[in-house]
């Protein structure tokens, strides 16, 4: 009996890690997930790390669970996608020394010492901050010399996972865009940028394109997982880029990826940057396009944590029903999301409501306020993108777990004055993107998933007043700190 061919996709996000088994059409046959596990690094005011060895064990265990769910299949290809900006440091033997996620800010103390910030922006498409990999390395070098002296190479988290599966090291271009050491327009590592941070370019592995084949899975890994050792390891890329690929958008489209954070991205045919240095410019995993981005920061994570507090056991459908019934602003939130036009992020936020506390104030108001905060932050960042590059189309695409909220989609449609469109694969978009790159590597044509739903702006005038309430709340929190 010939078994159905399938792909194994490891997806290592900021909050969760999951492994999915999917067939060549993108149908998910099995998926297992768990929390990303972080520890605080006490050597820095704002630093967390993860143990790559423990993460590898977790990935393999999740893979076994997903394979068991999938039933009899032949895994023909393996790929990985991950959070951007995160890196793994390796020693000379290829053993992991330390995992530094995107939310690790061990380099914050040295941001001010970064020279030639405007030149760095021109070359990398992003203003240098501790979010990006180079400053994580500066922080590691300056305060943890006992680790730094052992570092022989650094690699993105998805590229590290592929290295663990197949034993071949490479750095994919969309992930390299996040390092501050990569010339985004030229598509190559930059000795000039490395010198600005005092880093040796020998730390950087050879660049590899998404969709290329690194080699075969290691025999010992194949045996442990119970898959054929003929499976190839395919270069994936960053989770945002793969999610966008899975939506099959066109150049000039805008895609909003609603996850732990919310990138708002315009697909461009050429390298462009913002004269005011508010946006990021990235390489795309289609190996041809560029992505102009404004990012609303931590959004979906706020919603998830509020759900755990107010609706710990209730399904999303019940939350949506209660929240959709609200037609007042008894509660407004400003929860630390990012606005591209602001010089500094909101570091302390909260909820604003009238006192004494009204008997009408309910748990649904707090979740409503959180969704409205996300929508308003997206709208503000969208306007910045429009200032940098026009967007004349009457729609935007959305994908990611946050999109399951119909109310959020309606909020965004009304604030942007655009149709919000989602496809059938919106919830597992990064995994679907992994299927796309495996198909590309295997010579199998991809077909765009069908459009699932279109949310039209409803023209309700009440939204303008709510928007002003949100702006006032945000200004109040910013002025108090």
């Amino acid at each position: 009996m010939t078994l159905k061919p399938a792909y194994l996709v490891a997806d290592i996000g900021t909050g969760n890690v999951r492994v999915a088994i999917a067939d060549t059409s993108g149908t998910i046959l099995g998926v297992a997930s768990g929390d990303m596990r972080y520890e605080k690094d006490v050597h820095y005011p704002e630093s967390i790390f993860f143990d790559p060895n423990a993460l590898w064990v977790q990935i393999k265990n999740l893979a076994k669970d997903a394979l068991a769910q999938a039933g009899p299949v032949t895994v023909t290809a393996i790929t990985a996608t991950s959070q951007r900006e995160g890196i793994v440091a390796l020693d000379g033997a290829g053993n992991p020394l330390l995992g530094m996620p995107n939310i690790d800010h061990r380099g914050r103390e040295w941001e001010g010492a970064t020279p030639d910030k405007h030149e760095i922006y021109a070359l990398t498409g992003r203003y240098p901050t501790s979010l990006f990999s180079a400053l994580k390395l500066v922080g590691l070098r300056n305060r943890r010399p006992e680790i730094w002296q052992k570092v022989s190479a650094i690699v993105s988290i998805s590229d590290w996972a592929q290295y663990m599966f197949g034993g071949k090291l490479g750095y994919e271009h969309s992930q390299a865009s996040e390092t501050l050491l990569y010339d985004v327009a030229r598509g190559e590592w930059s000795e000039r940028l490395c010198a600005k941070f005092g880093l040796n370019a020998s730390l950087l592995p050879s660049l590899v394109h998404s969709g290329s084949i690194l080699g075969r899975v290691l025999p010992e890994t194949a045996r442990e997982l119970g898959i054929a050792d003929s499976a190839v390891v395919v270069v994936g890329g960053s989770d945002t880029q793969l999610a966008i690929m899975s939506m099959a958008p066109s150049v000039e489209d805008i895609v909003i990826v609603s996850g732990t954070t919310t990138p708002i991205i315009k697909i461009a045919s050429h390298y462009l940057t913002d004269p005011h240095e508010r946006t990021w410019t990235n390489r795309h995993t289609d190996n041809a396009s560029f992505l102009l981005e404004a990012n609303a920061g931590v959004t979906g994570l706020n919603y998830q944590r509020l759900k755990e507090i107010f609706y710990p056991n209730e399904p999303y459908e019940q939350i949506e029903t209660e929240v959709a019934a609200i037609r007042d602003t008894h509660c407004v939130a400003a929860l630390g999301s990012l606005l591209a036009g602001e010089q500094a992020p909101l570091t302390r936020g909260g909820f604003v409501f009238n006192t004494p506390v009204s008997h009408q104030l309910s748990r649904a108001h707090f979740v409503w306020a959180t969704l409205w905060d996300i929508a308003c932050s997206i709208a503000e960042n969208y306007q910045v993108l429009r200032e940098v590059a026009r967007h004349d189309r009457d729609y935007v695409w959305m994908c990611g777990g946050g999109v399951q909220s119909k109310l959020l989609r309606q909020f965004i449609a009304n604030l942007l004055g655009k149709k919000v469109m989602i496809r059938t694969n919106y919830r597992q978009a990064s995994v679907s993107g992994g299927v796309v790159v495996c198909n590309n590597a295997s010579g199998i044509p991809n077909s765009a998933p069908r459009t699932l739903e279109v949310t039209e702006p409803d023209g309700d005038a009440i939204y303008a007043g709510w928007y002003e309430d949100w702006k006032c709340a945000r200004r109040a929190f910013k002025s108090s700190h």
Side-chain angles (χ1 to χ4, degrees), residues 61-73:
N61 288 337
L62 293 172
K64 293 172 189 175
D65 291 345
L67 284 162
Q69 293 175 34
V73 295

Side-chain angles (χ1 to χ4, degrees), residues 175-186:
Q175 293 284 30
S177 297
E178 308 294 339
T179 61
L180 296 177
L181 307 173
Y182 172 89
D183 187 317
V184 176
R186 291 178 174 270

